Amino acid sequence: MHHHQIDIRGHRIFYREDGPADAPVLLLPHGYPCSSYQFRRLMPALADRWRTVAPDHLGFGYSDTPDPAAFDYDFGAYADMLSAFTDALGLSRYALWLHDYGSWIGLRHAMAHPERIAGLIIQNGDIYEDVMGPKYAVIKAYWQAKTPEKRRPLEEAVSEEGFRHEFVGEVDTAVAERIPPDLWKLHWPLMNTPLRRQLAVRLMERLEPNLAWFPRYQAYLRERRPPTLLVWGPEDGYMPRESGQAYLRDLPDAELHLLDGAGHWLLETHFERALPLVRNFLGKLS
């Protein structure tokens, strides 16, 4: 594994890279509340045959946190930055991993550059409003009445305890015990600045306008039909079993695997089950 920093439009982007430089590429934009650290096991496990590249988004991990006047901190801005990142690395063709916030960032990137996308691996990233899970209730309540009282739960979620709950709060005890506390103990100090906390809440607020993009994401999948692997943890309060199954509406040929007992962070708890599925799928693309 190599760890790099690169200047993109005056902003420092940290990224991890593994595998041969001339191998087929898998691009790994991360989700919330994490960073490229979430792929630390996957990348070396693929390094014999694939080149994996995982950047930290601005405002996350070891990347810069520019002033909001210099970067808009919405999913469109992140997708544009992802394009600039791939251009800077000279990446012209790759499989794309979609997870959590990274699914919306990645899909906007794919829509802008469909010729680059060799295939998709989707891990718990929702784009179907009718099957959004019950955990969205708090955010929806804020959308309906944007008061300080309704906003407070969003602010409280951006905390060490809020991060811990995101990682272990939905799976049973035996599964939760497989999730290392490093995920929130290491990441929370990086996020615990006034600006980063503010930006994390701002991204939650911007989930509402992102709903208008759901039909556009679906249309891209329906029209382009990229080869797709769905590897899904159904114990997910935001993106339950039905959210994964909904992709088959637009991608009837997709390969869907629901990993029983797994939740949103299945690479932490069900890695040995997920890895052969990923390797087999990437092998078909190669």
Side-chain angles (χ1 to χ4, degrees):
M1 181 88 73
H2 296 270
H3 305 85
H4 305 285
Q5 295 180 1
I6 186 173
D7 184 273
I8 305 290
R9 299 174 179 172
H11 307 308
R12 183 187 59 186
I13 298 290
F14 171 88
Y15 68 99
R16 305 170 197 261
E17 185 173 18
D18 208 345
D22 59 350
V25 176
L26 173 62
L27 181 62
L28 298 154
H30 66 82
Y32 172 89
C34 206
S35 66
S36 59
Y37 182 73
Q38 77 179 72
F39 299 114
R40 71 198 179 282
R41 295 179 69 189
L42 180 67
M43 297 174 73
L46 299 175
D48 59 325
R49 292 187 57 191
W50 295 279
R51 177 186 177 191
T52 53
V53 181
D56 286 354
H57 301 310
L58 290 177
F60 290 86
Y62 299 120
S63 288
D64 279 350
T65 309
D67 187 278
F71 183 75
D72 198 24
Y73 292 100
D74 67 7
F75 300 112
Y78 277 119
D80 185 54
M81 182 60 67
L82 187 61
S83 294
F85 172 77
T86 54
D87 288 345
L89 267 62
L91 305 179
S92 60
R93 183 77 171 167
Y94 35 84
L96 181 61
W97 192 285
L98 305 177
H99 176 241
D100 194 85
Y101 284 4
S103 61
W104 306 322
I105 296 167
L107 280 171
R108 293 191 191 206
H109 172 74
M111 291 162 62
H113 305 283
E115 74 286 350
R116 300 187 184 186
I117 307 305
L120 303 175
I121 300 175
I122 306 176
Q123 174 209 344
N124 293 62
D126 56 341
I127 63 167
Y128 295 91
E129 187 173 359
D130 62 310
V131 287
M132 293 168 72
K135 280 192 73 174
Y136 274 107
V138 172
I139 298 174
K140 288 181 177 179
Y142 172 71
W143 295 343
Q144 293 168 2
K146 294 182 174 63
T147 65
E149 292 74 21
K150 297 293 186 181
R151 192 176 192 269
R152 191 165 298 117
L154 308 187
E155 297 169 342
E156 292 172 350
V158 184
S159 63
E160 182 176 338
E161 177 58 25
F163 279 21
R164 188 196 70 83
H165 183 75
E166 290 294 333
F167 288 111
V168 303
E170 300 170 333
V171 293
D172 67 32
T173 301
V175 173
E177 288 173 350
R178 299 184 215 163
I179 300 177
D182 311 79
L183 283 168
W184 61 91
K185 287 291 187 180
L186 295 178
H187 192 55
W188 173 244
L190 294 174
M191 293 297 293
N192 190 20
T193 70
L195 180 54
R196 284 196 166 190
R197 294 196 306 271
Q198 171 193 334
L199 296 173
V201 175
R202 178 173 174 173
L203 273 172
M204 292 185 205
E205 294 175 316
R206 293 193 167 186
L207 294 176
E208 183 179 15
N210 184 56
L211 291 179
W213 279 75
F214 278 20
R216 300 175 67 176
Y217 302 146
Q218 296 160 20
Y220 162 78
L221 297 178
R222 190 166 54 250
E223 294 164 7
R224 290 287 178 171
R225 295 289 182 94
T228 300
L229 169 67
L230 292 150
V231 57
W232 206 273
E235 303 303 319
D236 187 335
Y238 287 112
M239 306 161 199
R241 177 183 305 266
E242 294 79 8
S243 296
Q245 293 169 329
Y247 277 91
L248 300 180
R249 302 173 189 174
D250 298 303
L251 293 171
D253 298 325
E255 183 181 337
L256 171 63
H257 297 271
L258 299 166
L259 305 187
D260 290 340
H264 196 71
W265 302 94
L266 62 86
L267 290 182
E268 301 297 333
T269 62
H270 291 67
F271 184 79
E272 291 76 13
R273 290 183 59 190
L275 180 61
L277 301 174
V278 173
R279 289 184 63 90
N280 181 63
F281 175 75
L282 290 175
K284 293 175 184 177
L285 295 183
S286 298

